[in-house]
Amino acid sequence: MHDVIIEALRRGANAEALEAARAWVAEAPDLADARRWLAVAMAESGDVDGALDHLAQAIELAPDDAELHLLRGTLLLNLRQGEPARAALARATELDPNQVPAYFLQAQLALARGDVAEAERLAKYAARLDPAHPQLTIIEAMAALRSGKPQVAISLLGSPDFAEDNDPQRFFALAFAHMQLGHAAFAEQAFRRVLEIRPDADGVRLLVSRLCQDQRRTDDALEVLAPLLERPEPGFALLRLAGLLELARDRPGRALRWLQPAFAARPLDRHVREAAVTAWLRLDRAADAGRAIESALAAHPEDPALWQALARFTPREHQRALVDRWLERVPDNLDALEALATVQDLDPSADPADTIATTRRVIELDPSRVTSGLRLASLELRDDPAAAIARLRDLLARHEDPQTRQLVGGRLALALDRAGQLEEAVTAWTAQRKQATARAIPLPQPVTPPAEWPVLVAVDDGSARRGLLWGGPGSWVELLAEQAERSGLPLLADRYGPRPPADVFQSPDTAAALADGKLTPQQVVDSWHQGLQRRGVEGAALIDWLRWWDNALLLALRPHLQDTLLLFALRDPRDMLLDWLAFGSPGRLAFESPGAAAAWLAAGLDQVATLHDRNLYPHRIVRLDAGFSRPGAFVEALNDALDTQLPIDPQPRPALERLPAGRWRAYAGVLAKPFASLHAVAERLGYARD
């Protein structure tokens, strides 16, 4: 549709362009691009105020779309009246071809409507008349930016000729160029310069706030929004952003100041709803949450997310009544029926047949329903494994989505394991791992140990204030980390999160770089300490959960870290391989085959065994073989290793049933060759050979 609008604007048929843009908005009112082109058409027709109104709505729909902010800024700074202005400029250049400013203004108007070719054509005319004019560089840079060449734009706009320039358009373009390249700090600096020149540029404030957030400076992000939040009626997008920022700073009370009005205005917005629910839960404000959600349900009774949110604040003994009310309002609603099945499944006094009947009803209404299909298969697995396997295979055939296939395929493999079809289970697990390979990380190769180790300065006298935790795939280290955090251990798990620290321990290449001399031991230690400072924990007692381990890292640890203890999570290496094959690893490590995985795991665990046998560094081995055999087994293992008294709470059931310790023996024939690679290191680590 935008091609039709551009063509009409190029022909000067503004009424035709406006009609097409209005039709597009009527057809897709929630599409930001439709409102963008309506704004362009309105501006070209002289309705600048209307154009800015529609641009504001477009920005609310897509607040991170840099093009929308750039267009709004261009209109605010350059556009006065669309077609009359363009006609006057064209007439001026017709009467006097030496009117250089008129060419530049026409070029800016062309850029505002996205016509890069026209802007470049006009800039060439101007360049013939005044090749040194500073506006020429700005036009060229903005055209490069619109053409997807941000580096060219930066090279043009970074010229020393602009040292004293106060043209906000230059800083707009410079900021967006840096944004395209991912240079958040430079983009922020340029946008702040725009705010110095134009303090009323609200859209720029939103962008500066977002850039601060991207740099983990949440307080700065809120500070730049303060002038907008002080207004009598901040818009929805602003309320949402402020609420999410306050929640990110773990200030739920302050977050609700913004989230509650945002939720009241748009309760169907997923981000606002989830953030408000989180804040209410943290503050234990069930009554406030109930009133707000009930009010939203009065207007939107068919929205399942609102009913599910209300369920989170409803005591267990009243859950059934809530689901009955939901089904009364929306009979045969699939989400409500699934909620009923969950309530029935969790009720120890309920008849399991009721759960099965409800789940079957869901599947009758929608045979492709994943949650109910998995539930029914789990129920069938107890008495009829063949039926469960058939159901899971049927469900797998109904879905092409990779994530769904991963989930269902994993359950199918477990069902095959439970049914004793071990070769089929291994085949299914191997297919699962291959499917995940595209998103996985290649296995880093172990480093050859040095002939001599540097002198050891650390002393194992119980005074260590910091720990470095590592566990190989299948060691259950991720479950240990979860339980340790629940028990109050100061454990850092952000290396596995969306914003990991940027220190050398995060890279799988650090060990090799140390061994090759590309990194010095002091650089490694300094990088870790500086990273701890950026993570806000410098000087605190902590345990840093590492993604990688190689004994070559001892080249840095032995001579420079005196108060640190290594912790290795460990299980029988054969069980580790089987678990890795069945469930993957928290670090998403890829492997070509079970044999390749076994060889890599054996090499890594052999290094741990060497470190332990030769006591190369103060360390503890946390044996997790007991796993889920009894409540609190993970924390018990940690207490035994560290001689601590962390509180032991009943641990929750894992999201998926894990294979018990010793299960590898059932696969001794199917996986004989891979296991053969692990027998020797298993013995070194204290496990029986068979």
Side-chain angles (χ1 to χ4, degrees):
M1 182 67 80
H2 68 276
D3 292 336
V4 175
I5 299 170
I6 290 176
E7 179 58 27
L9 290 174
R10 281 184 173 175
R11 291 187 284 105
N14 292 339
E16 183 181 329
L18 193 58
E19 182 181 356
R22 290 189 191 281
W24 193 9
V25 169
E27 180 183 329
D30 293 331
L31 185 63
D33 207 36
R35 292 194 179 275
R36 171 184 183 267
W37 283 102
L38 177 56
V40 170
M42 293 179 78
E44 290 289 330
S45 300
D47 186 0
V48 179
D49 292 337
L52 292 172
D53 285 344
H54 279 283
L55 267 181
Q57 294 178 55
I59 289 170
E60 190 168 304
L61 291 168
D64 293 334
D65 189 330
E67 286 289 325
L68 293 174
H69 291 280
L70 182 58
L71 175 55
R72 184 170 185 269
T74 305
L75 285 174
L76 285 170
L77 295 167
N78 301 302
L79 198 57
R80 293 300 176 263
Q81 290 210 346
E83 183 56 31
R86 189 168 64 164
L89 292 168
R91 181 62 176 157
T93 54
E94 179 183 339
L95 293 172
D96 182 359
N98 295 320
Q99 287 285 341
V100 176
Y103 286 114
F104 288 131
L105 287 174
Q106 284 181 285
Q108 289 170 359
L109 289 171
L111 287 171
R113 63 178 183 267
D115 194 342
V116 176
E118 177 66 5
E120 290 177 336
R121 185 185 69 81
L122 291 164
K124 286 180 181 178
Y125 279 121
R128 294 172 187 169
L129 301 172
D130 188 352
H133 197 290
Q135 272 291 316
L136 178 62
T137 306
I138 290 178
I139 295 297
E140 290 175 344
M142 292 178 70
L145 183 60
R146 291 279 192 176
S147 301
K149 301 174 183 176
Q151 198 64 61
V152 173
I154 290 174
S155 65
L156 290 167
L157 295 169
S159 167
D161 296 340
F162 289 100
E164 303 300 325
D165 191 3
N166 285 324
D167 186 343
Q169 195 173 29
R170 176 226 172 185
F171 295 103
F172 262 112
L174 189 60
F176 285 121
H178 281 301
M179 282 183 69
Q180 285 189 18
L181 292 170
H183 302 162
F186 291 113
E188 179 196 348
Q189 183 181 10
F191 277 132
R192 285 190 181 275
R193 187 73 181 90
V194 175
L195 285 179
E196 291 176 10
I197 303 168
R198 294 290 302 269
D200 59 343
D202 296 350
V204 177
R205 287 193 178 278
L206 290 170
L207 282 170
V208 172
S209 177
R210 181 54 58 88
L211 289 165
C212 290
Q213 186 182 5
D214 290 344
Q215 298 171 76
R216 303 188 188 185
R217 291 165 35 225
T218 307
D219 287 337
D220 289 343
L222 284 162
E223 181 182 356
V224 79
L225 292 178
L228 305 182
L229 292 168
E230 291 169 359
R231 294 176 180 175
E233 295 184 5
F236 168 79
L238 186 59
L239 291 171
R240 177 175 64 179
L241 178 58
L244 293 175
L245 289 173
E246 290 287 11
L247 194 61
R249 292 291 291 150
D250 198 21
R251 297 191 287 242
R254 292 168 65 170
L256 282 176
R257 176 185 176 188
W258 314 116
L259 291 173
Q260 286 188 149
F263 179 77
R266 296 191 187 179
L268 302 188
D269 183 277
R270 179 175 63 86
H271 296 293
V272 167
R273 183 186 61 253
E274 291 177 355
V277 166
T278 299
W280 282 318
L281 286 170
R282 289 184 187 175
L283 295 170
D284 196 22
R285 293 186 184 174
D288 291 347
R291 284 190 293 270
I293 299 171
E294 289 282 12
S295 177
L297 278 170
H300 308 281
E302 295 184 0
D303 185 72
L306 291 175
W307 289 101
Q308 290 161 352
L310 186 58
R312 300 187 67 176
F313 299 96
T314 303
R316 175 171 291 187
E317 61 269 21
H318 299 307
Q319 289 279 335
R320 177 59 186 266
L322 174 64
V323 174
D324 288 343
R325 185 159 67 93
W326 184 359
L327 284 167
E328 183 180 346
R329 293 291 299 273
V330 195
D332 275 346
N333 178 271
L334 295 177
D335 294 293
L337 287 169
E338 286 194 330
L340 176 59
T342 300
V343 171
Q344 292 169 331
D345 195 25
L346 295 176
D347 184 356
S349 64
D351 186 346
D354 292 338
T355 306
I356 293 175
T358 303
T359 307
R360 287 189 185 280
R361 176 62 180 150
V362 175
I363 294 174
E364 287 173 7
L365 294 169
D366 182 4
S368 65
R369 194 79 170 184
V370 174
T371 308
S372 290
L374 293 175
R375 185 195 302 277
L376 190 54
S378 296
L379 294 169
E380 291 172 333
L381 192 59
R382 303 169 189 170
D383 303 315
D384 191 353
I389 291 169
R391 184 173 302 283
L392 289 167
R393 282 180 168 149
D394 175 71
L395 195 60
L396 195 63
R398 292 178 181 273
H399 291 276
E400 297 295 329
D401 173 62
Q403 289 185 333
T404 302
R405 292 185 63 82
Q406 279 284 103
L407 175 62
V408 177
R411 297 293 181 90
L412 173 60
L414 283 175
L416 291 165
D417 171 83
R418 288 281 296 275
Q421 299 179 30
L422 305 186
E423 288 190 18
E424 292 86 347
V426 169
T427 300
W429 281 325
T430 304
Q432 289 281 98
R433 301 285 72 80
K434 287 183 177 179
Q435 185 179 341
T437 297
R439 304 186 305 276
I441 299 169
L443 298 175
Q445 294 306 304
V447 176
T448 302
E452 290 188 20
W453 292 103
V455 83
L456 175 65
V457 299
V459 179
D460 193 0
D461 60 0
S463 63
R465 298 181 66 251
R466 292 177 179 170
L468 294 172
L469 169 66
W470 180 79
S475 66
W476 288 354
V477 64
E478 70 277 15
L479 303 172
L480 172 67
E482 176 191 338
Q483 294 304 309
E485 283 190 291
R486 282 168 53 87
S487 297
L489 196 72
L491 185 139
L492 302 178
D494 53 341
R495 294 187 183 278
Y496 292 84
R499 294 183 176 181
D503 63 9
V504 293
F505 281 152
Q506 193 66 19
S507 170
D509 302 322
T510 295
L514 254 177
D516 295 343
K518 297 176 182 177
L519 274 176
T520 68
Q522 190 64 57
Q523 285 176 321
V524 171
V525 173
D526 289 346
S527 173
W528 184 47
H529 285 157
Q530 292 162 8
L532 292 177
Q533 193 172 28
R534 289 191 295 270
R535 293 153 86 182
V537 291
E538 176 68 16
L542 57 90
I543 293 179
D544 196 354
W545 178 18
L546 301 181
R547 291 181 65 93
W548 323 101
W549 177 258
D550 190 292
N551 280 358
L553 294 175
L554 296 175
L555 293 169
L557 271 60
R558 282 176 62 93
H560 292 292
L561 287 183
Q562 302 182 36
D563 62 346
T564 303
L565 188 70
L566 290 175
L567 301 173
F568 294 105
L570 185 67
R571 295 172 65 221
D572 186 309
R574 282 74 55 104
D575 278 330
M576 289 175 64
L577 176 64
L578 189 60
D579 192 275
W580 187 7
L581 184 62
F583 301 100
S585 67
R588 303 195 318 278
L589 295 173
F591 57 80
E592 296 178 358
S593 66
W600 184 87
L601 189 60
L605 293 178
D606 195 65
Q607 291 203 33
V608 174
T610 297
L611 185 151
H612 179 67
D613 292 343
R614 297 177 57 187
N615 197 23
L616 295 176
Y617 195 84
H619 68 281
R620 299 288 186 274
I621 290 179
V622 187
R623 296 186 184 272
L624 302 177
D625 300 271
F628 292 96
S629 62
R630 61 185 181 277
F634 285 100
V635 179
E636 283 181 10
L638 195 59
N639 281 335
D640 290 343
L642 297 178
D643 194 23
T644 53
Q645 297 296 322
L646 293 172
I648 297 176
D649 295 325
Q651 58 203 25
R653 291 186 303 174
L656 280 176
E657 178 185 354
R658 305 301 280 258
L659 302 173
R663 182 60 177 166
W664 73 269
R665 290 184 174 85
Y667 289 83
V670 179
L671 292 172
K673 288 185 178 179
F675 285 161
S677 303
L678 294 165
H679 290 320
V681 74
E683 282 190 296
R684 290 191 69 192
L685 292 169
Y687 294 94
R689 189 175 186 87
D690 50 29

